[in-house]
Amino acid sequence: MDKIRVMLADDNQSILGLLADYFSRKDDIELVAAVSDGTEIGDAVRENAPDILVMDIIMPRRDGFMALEEIGRMEPELRPKVIVLTGLARDDFIMRAIRLGASYYMVKPFDMHLLYSRIVEIAGEAQPAVAGCDEISAAPETLDEQITNLFLTLGIPAHIKGYAYLREAVRMVIDNHDVINRITKELYPGVARRFDTSASKVERAMRHAIEVAWSRGRLDTVNKMYGYKVFDAMDKPTNGEFISCVAEKIGGNRSA
């Protein structure tokens, strides 16, 4: 039996490493390529001819939707079957990925054996079956999940301090929007007390997190999420502007 040729596309190096290690122990899987930049996906598909592409939606410079569109324009014999593996459990994202040709949509955190089973199942189909999804909760997203999904989409790493500080600040502003007008006297000190640090360290860490997000080139994905331009790559917001914008978008969604 020929091995299933699998390609990975994810900018999270830890996930790439875990998947590569797991698949290396499977006799029926051959890992043919792994890329971490959305602009590399098309060329890597053409060069390595994978049977299955396991791909995140959140990618630097070109997101997964753009990659699906590019794959859809390829000659049929070049197109791999695609499993989307992402942290975004949004119904509109799921439907868009499937409309663009994804065979399956899975949400992180995921079960490694389930992913392997889906790869084997999809690779064995002569024609794509009805696309589906795994690990999708029907329950509405909590406030924390909405903030987390937006920050992940923007590319703010969860391990940096600014991520947690910004998330707490957004919660505070959603609860009481007027606090954004007292950012130095109330918001920064309030976040600082929550994390047992200083207001100046909170301010700097938030600024760093926003700079990281703007350097990762994912703003188009967020703008597509809302259907219009929310953030501009050429106009990086202040801490207060960023917090206010996120609180307005998420707070508005919750009250709609």
Side-chain angles (χ1 to χ4, degrees), residues 44 53 191 223 229 239:
L53 168 61
V191 175
N223 293 335
K229 183 174 286 187
N239 290 355

Side-chain angles (χ1 to χ4, degrees), residues 31-43:
L31 183 60
V32 297
V35 301
S36 56
D37 189 310
T39 60
E40 300 172 353
I41 292 175
D43 287 343

Side-chain angles (χ1 to χ4, degrees), residues 156-177:
I156 301 177
H159 67 275
I160 65 174
K161 292 180 179 179
Y163 174 97
Y165 298 166
L166 284 169
R167 188 170 64 177
E168 181 67 18
V170 170
R171 288 197 203 101
M172 291 173 64
V173 173
I174 289 175
D175 288 341
N176 177 14
H177 190 270

Side-chain angles (χ1 to χ4, degrees), residues 72-115:
R73 293 191 295 268
M74 293 180 182
E75 294 297 317
E77 62 271 17
L78 294 178
R79 298 175 199 161
K81 295 173 182 176
V82 179
I83 296 176
V84 171
L85 182 64
T86 184
L88 298 174
R90 293 176 52 98
D91 289 343
D92 54 340
F93 277 33
I94 296 167
M95 296 308 299
R96 185 177 180 193
I98 290 173
R99 282 198 303 269
L100 290 173
S103 296
Y104 235 88
Y105 194 107
M106 299 182 70
V107 177
K108 302 173 184 176
F110 61 97
D111 181 274
M112 198 81 76
H113 181 71
L114 180 59
L115 173 60

